[in-house]
Amino acid sequence: MRVWDQRSFIDMPWANGGGRTRELFRLPHPERDGAFALRMSIAEVAAGGPFSRFDGVDRLLGLLDGEGMELSLADGRRLTLDAPGRVEAFPGETGVQCRLLGGALRDCNLMLARDWGRGELARLTPADGEAVRLAAADLVLLYLQRGAWSRDGVALPDGGLLLLENETASLRADGGAIAWLATARRHGKSRA
């Protein structure tokens, strides 16, 4: 298991220049220079507007905090993220217009190159003292949004990120802990 603290994250402008994001993790694409296979980030959204376009990428978006937003997709769908933990998925090449339902918010983005693999994103809200078991997958990322997290009695960094590759782990959660779990599987990998 690898662990990063907040000092390791990279702040950058959105691809369309409309805001800023904090990149937690980027896995380079094995076949395309400069592209990512997987990317996890946190965006601060202060105003509505268009989303950046990411061709060939599947996006999963979850609401960390705030009143939420409504997404109007060019294919006619409307997606609403109006409760912390709500996750919606959509293709990155689809035009998306965002309308805030209240004030500023923060969201968690998991993006995967469609030709590389697929993934899932979920919010974890364990009870104080609960053991959280992370199952093995090609890649498991856990963003420690809030609370106290530890492994084998050793405290993990506040707001940190954990990465596991084909391994399991058990963590203890305390202090109203919240985390975001991203799991990813590469195409063509067996589930032995």
Side-chain angles (χ1 to χ4, degrees):
M1 180 173 75
R2 288 186 277 170
V3 181
W4 290 273
D5 66 20
Q6 294 184 47
R7 294 171 298 181
S8 303
F9 304 150
I10 300 171
D11 291 322
M12 62 182 60
W14 291 351
N16 70 5
R20 296 198 62 79
T21 193
R22 174 167 274 199
E23 185 175 87
L24 307 179
F25 181 80
R26 173 187 287 256
L27 177 68
H29 197 287
E31 298 170 4
R32 292 195 307 275
D33 288 341
F36 61 80
L38 179 147
R39 180 176 180 238
M40 187 174 187
S41 62
I42 302 297
E44 296 196 16
V45 183
F51 271 32
S52 299
R53 182 182 172 107
F54 291 93
D55 290 340
V57 170
D58 288 327
R59 296 187 68 171
L60 293 102
L61 188 68
L63 181 63
L64 269 75
D65 47 50
E67 293 178 50
M69 61 183 141
E70 180 182 78
L71 306 178
S72 299
L73 279 65
D75 63 12
R77 290 185 292 153
R78 290 194 186 279
L79 307 175
T80 304
L81 286 94
D82 57 0
R86 179 96 185 247
V87 175
E88 294 288 354
F90 53 93
E93 59 271 7
T94 300
V96 177
Q97 190 70 26
C98 167
R99 180 180 66 85
L100 299 185
L101 301 177
L105 60 85
R106 290 188 320 139
D107 62 42
C108 183
N109 292 275
L110 177 64
M111 296 190 280
L112 298 107
R114 201 170 294 126
D115 63 351
W116 178 84
R118 60 184 176 80
E120 296 177 9
L121 180 66
R123 182 178 187 246
L124 305 180
T125 56
D128 283 354
E130 183 177 339
V132 175
R133 298 190 200 310
L134 303 175
D138 289 338
L139 289 176
V140 174
L141 294 163
L142 188 70
Y143 168 60
L144 308 175
Q145 180 185 351
R146 189 175 83 192
W149 294 85
S150 61
R151 182 179 188 196
D152 299 328
V154 177
L156 296 169
D158 292 340
L161 181 76
L162 312 180
L163 168 66
L164 293 93
E165 295 184 77
N166 296 306
E167 60 183 306
T168 62
S170 183
L171 308 176
R172 179 185 165 100
D174 287 294
I178 297 174
W180 285 81
L181 174 66
T183 56
R185 293 199 183 277
R186 293 176 183 93
H187 291 311
K189 298 281 287 189
S190 67
R191 294 186 182 203

